[in-house]
Amino acid sequence: MSVDCPNCLQKARITSRNTLTKEKTVVDLYCECKNPLCQARFVVTNSFTRWINPPAKTTAQIALNLLNHLSKEEKAELLK
Ligand SMILES: [Zn+2]
């Protein structure tokens, strides 16, 4: 993961991180600018926002849940 310095817009390195939620969806990244003329240190908050594609296991679980709501006849028709 790459972080840009908000001051000089050069690359910064992540020196440490602090997870703010038990699901690890929000993390504070402590950063230090690599530009020797800047050397700014700052914190960037990285957070999960939404799925673009759900994980495969979730998709399988959704399919299984749908199948479990079908009648025997509907399941038989689906298998044809
Ligand atoms: Zn900088």
Side-chain angles (χ1 to χ4, degrees):
M1 178 178 193
S2 167
V3 176
D4 295 333
C5 173
N7 178 57
C8 69
L9 309 181
Q10 299 296 307
K11 296 295 177 198
R13 72 182 184 95
I14 299 166
T15 57
S16 64
R17 59 188 69 222
N18 183 28
T19 303
L20 302 176
T21 59
K22 67 179 180 180
E23 299 84 8
K24 298 185 178 180
T25 53
V26 182
V27 180
D28 271 352
L29 302 173
Y30 290 79
C31 304
E32 186 175 275
C33 181
K34 290 182 181 179
N35 177 357
L37 300 176
C38 177
Q39 300 182 28
R41 297 175 72 198
F42 54 93
V43 178
V44 170
T45 301
N46 183 27
S47 66
F48 171 82
T49 51
R50 65 182 184 277
W51 298 113
I52 295 170
N53 242 359
K57 190 175 180 182
T58 301
T59 303
Q61 288 170 337
I62 291 168
L64 187 60
N65 286 341
L66 288 171
L67 284 173
N68 287 337
H69 283 87
L70 295 177
S71 67
K72 281 185 180 180
E73 295 77 20
E74 289 170 325
K75 286 180 186 173
E77 185 67 28
L78 188 65
L79 291 173
K80 285 183 182 177

